[in-house]
Amino acid sequence: MLYYPINMANMKQVIIIRTDLDMGKGKIAAQVGHACVLGAEHVRKSNPEWFSEWWEGQEKVVLKVANLKELEQIMQDAIEFGLPCSAVSDAGRTQLPPGTTTCISIGPAPEEKIDKITGDLKLL
């Protein structure tokens, strides 16, 4: 049986992906995976307490935006609010040109902070 600390439910990671790129399902899955790892490693180094709280359950939510402009605005808002963010730029080996920003990770961080920035976004 797994034990989850009471405060674990308060930590999550959000991945926000662009829908204007018409990526295939496998490509989306790979980009979300990249964002999860980049974001987790960023927080593991910059805020180990948040990382440790999040690590037990590793809650993740995948949301969507329509385009790069919306993605960049959300990232800017998150950074200004003090949330850790990581952007994923595609290598360009398959469906997209090299350097295309596909998604971002926010957190892992306190859920109430993330929700102030992403609460109006729709699930992918």
Side-chain angles (χ1 to χ4, degrees):
M1 180 173 184
L2 294 174
Y3 168 74
Y4 296 102
I6 293 172
N7 62 356
M8 185 277 305
N10 295 334
M11 303 300 284
K12 72 178 176 182
Q13 181 181 43
V14 171
I15 309 305
I16 305 166
I17 194 137
R18 292 172 55 187
T19 58
D20 62 321
L21 297 174
D22 295 320
M23 293 180 282
K25 291 177 185 176
K27 183 70 168 179
I28 290 170
Q31 298 302 298
V32 169
H34 292 320
C36 290
V37 172
L38 288 170
E41 184 64 6
H42 178 178
V43 173
R44 186 185 69 79
K45 291 177 180 177
S46 67
N47 196 326
E49 299 82 21
W50 285 0
F51 179 84
S52 293
E53 285 184 46
W54 170 81
W55 182 249
E56 291 296 321
Q58 299 180 25
E59 181 181 352
K60 298 168 207 70
V61 178
V62 182
L63 305 172
K64 62 184 176 180
V65 293
N67 54 51
L68 180 60
K69 183 178 178 182
E70 287 183 31
L71 189 69
E72 289 174 336
Q73 183 62 58
I74 289 166
M75 187 168 184
Q76 180 180 337
D77 292 347
I79 291 168
E80 288 174 4
F81 195 57
L83 291 168
C85 294
S86 299
V88 176
S89 294
D90 194 68
R93 294 187 190 105
T94 57
Q95 299 176 14
L96 302 170
T100 302
T101 302
T102 58
C103 58
I104 63 170
S105 168
I106 302 176
E111 183 173 28
E112 63 275 4
K113 289 180 177 251
I114 291 177
D115 287 349
K116 289 182 180 180
I117 303 298
T118 65
D120 293 335
L121 299 178
K122 302 286 185 200
L123 293 170
L124 177 62

